[in-house]
Structure formats: structure tokens, C-alpha cells
């Protein structure tokens, strides 16, 4: 039976993180499952959590009046979901909806932020990893901004 | 610095290469709002001047292209997107973006078009035997890759894992929708499709750029040949991703595109650095282009 | 004066007196050649069909420099006392405009009429060594690859070449640097070197082929004597000493590949008008475009091939825009192709040192100067870093 700690330790996102910090983070973690169609979070919600998707698929959506909901990104196995907890105003910008049965590890953001205040080095390690996520998401978003498949003149 | 490594170009006796051969439009299939797949068959027709029509169909290698001529309007290079084992069904997927392509997309069954070809280098499907194959297609880039996939599937035993990663703008922009679903259903082929954005009521697949699919796919990076086709920027980032996971430069193949007028290396338009895309390409091994790839205005 | 001796052979040297040279014309015309050579028109020496020997630019010379071309009268009556003008032989072998085929609509179908006009049988009079090299370069482009251009091949195979060895160099010439002259060393049926002495005006003739020999046999000539041959050699040496420009071609291919982003290209771009003159006058530039045209009724269509230039904005047009939008990128494309990529593509340089691009550039951009600027820039960087080592 795998413990939360061992699940965290083997996840690429926490690779090479000091086991002491893994323990600290595990304190703030639990498991959560979502059925297909469940909203995991809604636009405007306070950003109280972030998730590690173990298995499943989640769609990030935004609602445009007149256009309806638009999927702007899907995240699946192994992806980290949620970074608004790390930057003010700590508010979700998108809806997160499970497209299929999705199992996650969920982290209490307030708990994590608290630990980072007492152990700044933990904060730095998390920021490094989230910065990587920001970079990748920004890159991917910019690529779509170019509308590469559109017709241009 | 080695620029040109010429993969074996299929020898083909072409009748005067500047003279279009007549082909009849058998079928026009609408793929998306601006993209149509034309199915052509040879229309043997004695041409005055004693040139005979292409009675045997056109033998081509996956990745090659034809010059399609619409009477009175003009000629454009279009990748052949059909099955290389069926030369009598010559298939091209055309996007209507200019005068000629718009006319081609409006062609009715029975119309005669002029075809010159096949031209250019091809995907190294034979040399890649024994490897895993990763195909990364962006937008209409799937069209020149489809013949490669047909070949790979027809010789499935010669290859390890085969992965198809395909990205398009919206779900309604996906090409070969029915075939994609059929391919997804196979047990010996991994297919992942993504779109830039979608409405949840019309799409249950991935949303995001096609490059994000690379790290997820299963293949042995040290024994993989990657075939990449799409807008140049998409190919650039795809190459970065593949390099990141360890695929060597000499196993990355891409299909390049430039203005073409003659397709036989004489008009000079398709030059890209020291290469002529019509005869040294359009399929290139990445390490041969590395020095100029991505350089502005080359 | 002897009549033609039937024993003249390839590699022989003979003498034709000036007064007998018109016979060359007549013989060629009798052999159904269309004689093409230099003639004065609108202030320049161009190549055109000559109806008679007198159409040659007798007593003319040219003064050339960057962006400058003037004709001047000579003190003598030399027939070939000038160098090259805005035309080159490519306009005959690789015509500026040519119809490829016609087609007629037939219901949903169409039929192509592929009647080729008869191939003109040209005799070129006055092919300079640099030009002969340019023809050889275009031979490689059009006849050496997987595809052969039938238009070029047909004209080329029938062409009779009378080369002329330059007795003087032009202001923008640099054939010596490019190892393409001034003496014609291959590829001619006959080669002439004009010798003008106080009391005598004659031509030393070198026989290049059996066909050349057969033509020569019909012209009054004599065996060349040592003194006459030496006069020819001296004339060519004189030309070699007078080169208006030089270019150091060592490592030139890699020099250009290394400097694709050099600021010098911005410098040139500030001057270049993208007028395409250089590509029109260059004897090796071969780019063409294809136009499909139809008549007003839409019942008949034609495909026409025309010269094109990489300097035009449309040249690299794809997907709603051009790849090379800036004049800088287009100049870089031309020069890098000419001096570097050409070598990778065809095994030789694309430049023969004729200087036309320098003469006919309205702003006098000088390809030899541009190369020198890159070389000097690398040299000064090298010296700076060596100094710091």
C-alpha cells in the first residue's frame, strides 16, 4: 500500500526534492477523485488548492457570453493543475471540469503557503518547479496565439 | 558543413516533365470549410504531339508531390496524400487559399486536371524499418504524412511502436476524421489528437499544442525515426521537444515548403539555402538543414 | 594569300587577315546558321543577329565602372576592342520569353498542343572566355541533373561558337580572379585573337573542333607563325594585367555561410534598389517563372516561361506572404547563391568575373567590394582576438 509520501516522491514534479520537504508537503496533501463531468473548480473561486493528476483528463474552460464555454487546455496523467494559488489574488481564472473519471492528489494551498513561510527553502523549490510549469504553459499558449494553422495574408 | 544528403530519390520515367498529364476528377470530398480531398484517376487521352496519357497511374513514394494544373488558371505544388500502393487513385488534399487552389477545390467530378509528377524526396519509410516511428502532423501537414502511415501500416511488422500525434486549430479543422477514428481503434497504433481550442459539446479529446503530446507518447527515443510536417514554427518546436526527449538529429525528418514554379530544379524559386526544395526536398533530414533552419528570411 | 588548305586540324593555329574575316560570316550563313554577335545599339554593345559583317562594333570601345557604361570611339578599327555589355549569350540559349505549350478546352477536358517551334541554329561570334565559362555553368544547371531542359539543350547542341580572346580588360573585369579568362581554353569551334599592328590587321585563329576546322577550310587562311602566335599571347597577357577588379576566392563559400547575419548586409541593403538589373545581365543567373494565361473566351490557354529574378518580392511568395520580404535578405540570397551555394549545387562558382553586375548596378554595388568587406571584417576580428590572446 503506497503512502502519500511515496506517491509524491516518485512523481516527476517532485523529483530531487529533499525527503524532509516531501514529508512537509505530504502533510498538506490528500487524495480526491472526480467523476466525468464534475467541476473541480469554478472561475472566480478562491485558489485554495492545486492538484497533481494521477489519472484522467481535465478540461480548463472559460465561458464567453454568446459563444458558450470554450476549452482552452486539457490536462491529463501526470500534469500539475492550478497555479493561481501561488500568485495574488489567489483566484481561479478558469473552470476545471473532469472529462472522465479522474484521480488526483490535492494539496491545501493555505497549508503549503504556511509551510513555505516557516521553511523559505521549500518555497524556493516549489517556485522553481512552478516556474517551469508557467514557462511551458506560456510557450504553449503563445504557439496557439500565432494561429499557425490559420490562413494568413 | 554538409547541407545536402540526398535520400534516395525514386527513379521514375516521366514524360516531358513540363507537360501536364490529364487526370479525371473521380471524387471530391470536403474535409473542412476550406480543404478538399481530390481523388483523381488517369485519363488516357492522346495528346496532339504524340504524348500519351499516364495509363498506368502515378507511382509515387510517400512525401512526394505533384504539380496540379487547372486549365487556364495555373499550377500549384500539392503533396500526394493517398496510398502509394494504389497508383491509379491519385489523391491530393488541397486547401483553398489562392486562385488555383480555389479553382481546384471547386472542380466537379469528371473535370480533367493536369498533373505533373511525382517530384521530390520522400519519407524514409524503408530505411526506418526496425525503428519506432513518431509522426507529428500540424494542420494540413497530415496530408503529406498520410501516405507514409499507409505504408507503415501495410508493413506493420517491420516497425516497432508507431505513434501519430496530430494537432489542428479546431475540431472542425481535423482532416480525415473518419480515418483518424479508425486508426485510433487499432491496437498497434498510438494516436493522439489535439486542437488549439474547442467547445466542450463538440470535443472530448485534448486541447493544447501538438508539442505537448510528445513527452506523453511511448516510444524508444534511441531507436525512433520521427516524421514531422506542419507550419514551420510548429516543426521548430516539435523538433525541440523531440530533441529534449533524446531523438538524435539524424532521425528527425521534416517536410519543407517554398514557392515553386517548375518542380524540376530550373526556375530557382524553391531554393532554401543551397537546397532546391523540389529536388533535394521536400523531405529533409534535420541535421542537414540545422544550420539554416529557423534563420530569418532564408 | 593562300586559299583554304584542307589539312587544317583541331588545335592548329592559323591566321585570317582582316580583309578575309567577312568570309567567316558568309560561310556560316551559307551553312544556315543565324549569326549572332555584338553590335551597337542605343549607346551599348549588345548581342543580336547580324545580317552582315559590318554590323560589328568596328572601332568602338567601352568604358565601364561601377554603375557606369559609356561607348567611345577608338582611334583604330578594331572589331573586338571592347569587353562585355548588358547582354550575354544566355538570351539565346535560355530565352527571356518562350512559349512552352498551348492548350484548348474540350468540355470538361482540355488538349495540349506541344508543337515546338523549330530550334534556331545559332553561330555566336565573339564569345569571351568568361562567357564561355558562363555557358559551361549553365550547361551544368540545365543538362547535368535528373531533368534536362529540352529548350536549352536543343539550342546548345546546335550552337557554333567563335570565341574571342580579350586583348584588353574592362573596368569591372575580374576573370583572372575567377580563373575564367582572359584566354578561352575550351568549348569553342574557333577562337580568334585580334592583332592590330601598324601595317597589319589580322586574327590568330585556334581550331577547337572538327566542325570549326571545316568552317575554317572555307576561309582564306595561312598557318600561324611563331611571331604571330606570340603576339596573340602578348595581347592576352596585356588583358590579364589590366583587370579592373579582383576577388580573393579562397574559402569564399564558407566565408559567406559564416556571415549570413553580418551587419554588412544592412549596409548593402541601404544602397540596393532591388531593381534586378544584376540578375538580368548576369550570364549565369537562370531563374524563371511560369505564367499560365488564357484568352478572353477561356477556351484556350498557354504556358509561358519568362526570366525572373530573386530580387522581386513575389519570388519567394508562399502562404499569403513572401519569405524574403526585406531587400537585405534578397541581396544576401543573390550574392550567397552566386558565390557560395552555387558551389554546393553545381560544383563550381556561379560567378565568372565578367563585371556586368557592377557596371549595370544603378548605384554601383560591387560584388568584389562586398566580398572584400566581409573578408576584412573577419580579418580585423581575428587580429583583435589574436592581439588579446
Amino acid at each position: 500500500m503506497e503512502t502519500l509520501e511515496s506517491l509524491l516522491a516518485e512523481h516527476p514534479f517532485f523529483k530531487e526534492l529533499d525527503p524532509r520537504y516531501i514529508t512537509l508537503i505530504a502533510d498538506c496533501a490528500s487524495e480526491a477523485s472526480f467523476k466525468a463531468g464534475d467541476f473541480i473548480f469554478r472561475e472566480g473561486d478562491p485558489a485554495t488548492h492545486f492538484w497533481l493528476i494521477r489519472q484522467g483528463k481535465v478540461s480548463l474552460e472559460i465561458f464567453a457570453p454568446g459563444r458558450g464555454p470554450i476549452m482552452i487546455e486539457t490536462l491529463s496523467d501526470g500534469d500539475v493543475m492550478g497555479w493561481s494559488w501561488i500568485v495574488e489574488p489567489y483566484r481561479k481564472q478558469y473552470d476545471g471540469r473532469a472529462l472522465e473519471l479522474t484521480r488526483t492528489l490535492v494539496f491545501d494551498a493555505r497549508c503549503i503557503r504556511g509551510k513555505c513561510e516557516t521553511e523559505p527553502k521549500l518555497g524556493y523549490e516549489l517556485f522553481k518547479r512552478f516556474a517551469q510549469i508557467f514557462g511551458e504553459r506560456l510557450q504553449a499558449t503563445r504557439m496557439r496565439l500565432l494561429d499557425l494553422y490559420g490562413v494568413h495574408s | 558543413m554538409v547541407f545536402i544528403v540526398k535520400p534516395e530519390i525514386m527513379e521514375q520515367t516521366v514524360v516531358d516533365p513540363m507537360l501536364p498529364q490529364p487526370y479525371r476528377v473521380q471524387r471530391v470530398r470536403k474535409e473542412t470549410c476550406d480543404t478538399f480531398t481530390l481523388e483523381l484517376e488517369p485519363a488516357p487521352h492522346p495528346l496532339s504531339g504524340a504524348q500519351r496519357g499516364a495509363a498506368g497511374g502515378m507511382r509515387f513514394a510517400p512525401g512526394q508531390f505533384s504539380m496540379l494544373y487547372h486549365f487556364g488558371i495555373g499550377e500549384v505544388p500539392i503533396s500526394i496524400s493517398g496510398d502509394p500502393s494504389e497508383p491509379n487513385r491519385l489523391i491530393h488534399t488541397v486547401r483553398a487559399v489562392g486562385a488555383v487552389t480555389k479553382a481546384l477545390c471547386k472542380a466537379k467530378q469528371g473535370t480533367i486536371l493536369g498533373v505533373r509528377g511525382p517530384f521530390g524526396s520522400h519519407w524514409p519509410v524503408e530505411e526506418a524499418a526496425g525503428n519506432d516511428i513518431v509522426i507529428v502532423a500540424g494542420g494540413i501537414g497530415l496530408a503529406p504524412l498520410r501516405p507514409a502511415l499507409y505504408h507503415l501500416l501495410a508493413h506493420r511488422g517491420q516497425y516497432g511502436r508507431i505513434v501519430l500525434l496530430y494537432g489542428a486549430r479546431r475540431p472542425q479543422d481535423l482532416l480525415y476524421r473518419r480515418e483518424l477514428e479508425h486508426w485510433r481503434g487499432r491496437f498497434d497504433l498510438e494516436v493522439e489528437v489535439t486542437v488549439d481550442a474547442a467547445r466542450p459539446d463538440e470535443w472530448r479529446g485534448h486541447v493544447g499544442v501538438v508539442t505537448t503530446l510528445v513527452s506523453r507518447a511511448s516510444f524508444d527515443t534511441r531507436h525512433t525515426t520521427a516524421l514531422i510536417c506542419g507550419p514551420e514554427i510548429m516543426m521548430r518546436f516539435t523538433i525541440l521537444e523531440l530533441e529534449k526527449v533524446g531523438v538524435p538529429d539524424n532521425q528527425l525528418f521534416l517536410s519543407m515548403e517554398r514557392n515553386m514554379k517548375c518542380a524540376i530544379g530550373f526556375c530557382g524559386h524553391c531554393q532554401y539555402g543551397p537546397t532546391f526544395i523540389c529536388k533535394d526536398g521536400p523531405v529533409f533530414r534535420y541535421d542537414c538543414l540545422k544550420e539554416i533552419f529557423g534563420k530569418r528570411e532564408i | 594569300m593562300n586559299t583554304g588548305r584542307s589539312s587544317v586540324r583541331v588545335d592548329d593555329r592559323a591566321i585570317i587577315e582582316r580583309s578575309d574575316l567577312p568570309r567567316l560570316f558568309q560561310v556560316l550563313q551559307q551553312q544556315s546558321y543565324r549569326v549572332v554577335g555584338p553590335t551597337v545599339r542605343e549607346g551599348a554593345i549588345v548581342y543580336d543577329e547580324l545580317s552582315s559583317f559590318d554590323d560589328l562594333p568596328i572601332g568602338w570601345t567601352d568604358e565601364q565602372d561601377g554603375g557606369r557604361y559609356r561607348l567611345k570611339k577608338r582611334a583604330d578599327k578594331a572589331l573586338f576592342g571592347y569587353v562585355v555589355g548588358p547582354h550575354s549569350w544566355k538570351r539565346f540559349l535560355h530565352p527571356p520569353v518562350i512559349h512552352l505549350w498551348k492548350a484548348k478546352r474540350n468540355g470538361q477536358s482540355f488538349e495540349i498542343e506541344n508543337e515546338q517551334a523549330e530550334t534556331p541554329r545559332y553561330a555566336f561570334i565573339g564569345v569571351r572566355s568568361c562567357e564561355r565559362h558562363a555557358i559551361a555553368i549553365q550547361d551544368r544547371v540545365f543538362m547535368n541533373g535528373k531533368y534536362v531542359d529540352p529548350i536549352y539543350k536543343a539550342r546548345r547542341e546546335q550552337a557554333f561558337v567563335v570565341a574571342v580572346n580579350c586583348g584588353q580588360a574592362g573596368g569591372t573585369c575580374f576573370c583572372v580572379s575567377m580563373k575564367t579568362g582572359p584566354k578561352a581554353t575550351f568549348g569553342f569551334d574557333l577562337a580568334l585573337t585580334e592583332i592590330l599592328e601598324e601595317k597589319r590587321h589580322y586574327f590568330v585563329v585556334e581550331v577547337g573542333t572538327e566542325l570549326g576546322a571545316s568552317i575554317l577550310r572555307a576561309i582564306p587562311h595561312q598557318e600561324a607563325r611563331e611571331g604571330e602566335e606570340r603576339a596573340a599571347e602578348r595581347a592576352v597577357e596585356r588583358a590579364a594585367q589590366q583587370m579592373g577588379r579582383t576577388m580573393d576566392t579562397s574559402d569564399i563559400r564558407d566565408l559567406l555561410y559564416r556571415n549570413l547575419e553580418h551587419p554588412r548586409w544592412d549596409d548593402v541593403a541601404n544602397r540596393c534598389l532591388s531593381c534586378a538589373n544584376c540578375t538580368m545581365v548576369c550570364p549565369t543567373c537562370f531563374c524563371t517563372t511560369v505564367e499560365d494565361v488564357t484568352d478572353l473566351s477561356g477556351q484556350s490557354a498557354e504556358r509561358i516561361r519568362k526570366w525572373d529574378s530573386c530580387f522581386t518580392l513575389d519570388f519567394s511568395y508562399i502562404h499569403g506572404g513572401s519569405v524574403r520580404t526585406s531587400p537585405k535578405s534578397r541581396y544576401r540570397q543573390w550574392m550567397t547563391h552566386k558565390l557560395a551555394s552555387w558551389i554546393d549545387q553545381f560544383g563550381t562558382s556561379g560567378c565568372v568575373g565578367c563585371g556586368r553586375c557592377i557596371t549595370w548596378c544603378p548605384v554601383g554595388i560591387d560584388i568584389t567590394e562586398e566580398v572584400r568587406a566581409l573578408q576584412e571584417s573577419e580579418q580585423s576580428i581575428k587580429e583583435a582576438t589574436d592581439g588579446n590572446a
Side-chain angles (χ1 to χ4, degrees), chain B residues 36-64:
Chain B
F36 296 78
T37 293
L38 301 176
E39 208 171 297
L40 307 177
E41 64 169 16
H45 220 100
L47 302 173
S48 47
Q51 297 281 12
R52 282 186 32 115
M58 184 184 289
R59 296 213 155 275
F60 69 95
Q64 290 193 302

Side-chain angles (χ1 to χ4, degrees), chain B residues 21-28 38-43 45 69-71 103-115, chain C residues 105-110:
Chain B
Q21 298 301 303
Y23 275 73
R24 183 176 299 113
V25 175
Q26 267 299 89
R27 193 176 168 175
V28 180
L38 301 176
E39 208 171 297
L40 307 177
E41 64 169 16
H45 220 100
Y69 171 68
H70 190 294
F71 181 83
L104 289 172
C105 289
K106 287 213 190 89
K108 300 270 187 307
Q109 188 186 39
T111 302
I112 301 289
L113 301 176
V115 181
Chain C
R105 195 194 281 276
N106 189 358
Q108 275 183 311
S109 176
F110 62 91

Side-chain angles (χ1 to χ4, degrees), chain C residues 24-35 121 123 158 160 211 214-215 218:
Chain C
L24 172 62
F25 263 68
Q26 291 153 17
V27 171
L28 288 169
Q29 279 164 339
Q30 277 157 23
Q31 297 284 317
S32 308
Y33 281 106
R34 285 159 67 163
V35 178
R121 215 164 106 88
Q158 304 215 49
F160 185 90
L211 183 57
S214 71
I215 298 290

Side-chain angles (χ1 to χ4, degrees), chain C residues 11 17 61 73 112 132 146 201 256 258 312 318 323 330 349 371 384:
Chain C
D11 291 339
E17 297 295 330
T61 188
K73 274 242 138 252
I112 296 186
R132 185 56 189 86
K146 179 177 179 191
H201 186 177
L256 281 153
R258 282 194 298 268
T312 65
I318 46 166
V323 174
R330 288 177 259 148
S349 176
V371 169

Side-chain angles (χ1 to χ4, degrees), chain A residues 59-125:
Chain A
S59 147
L60 298 179
E61 296 172 4
I62 198 162
F63 190 92
R67 282 175 70 183
I70 302 165
M71 293 160 76
I72 49 134
E73 188 115 36
T74 55
L75 300 171
S76 57
D77 303 13
D79 283 333
V80 169
M81 179 168 65
W83 47 261
S84 347
W85 66 276
I86 217 174
V87 288
E88 303 238 9
Y90 307 139
R91 209 154 274 286
K92 303 305 270 178
Q93 305 297 331
Y94 309 102
D95 292 338
R97 190 167 64 88
L99 292 177
E100 52 192 58
L101 175 64
T102 299
R103 297 202 182 83
T104 70
L105 293 175
V106 53
F107 299 84
D108 180 337
R110 248 189 310 237
C111 171
I112 299 264
R113 284 202 293 264
K115 308 260 179 182
C116 293
E117 294 292 325
T118 48
E119 288 269 9
K121 182 110 196 319
L122 168 62
Y124 174 60
E125 290 295 325

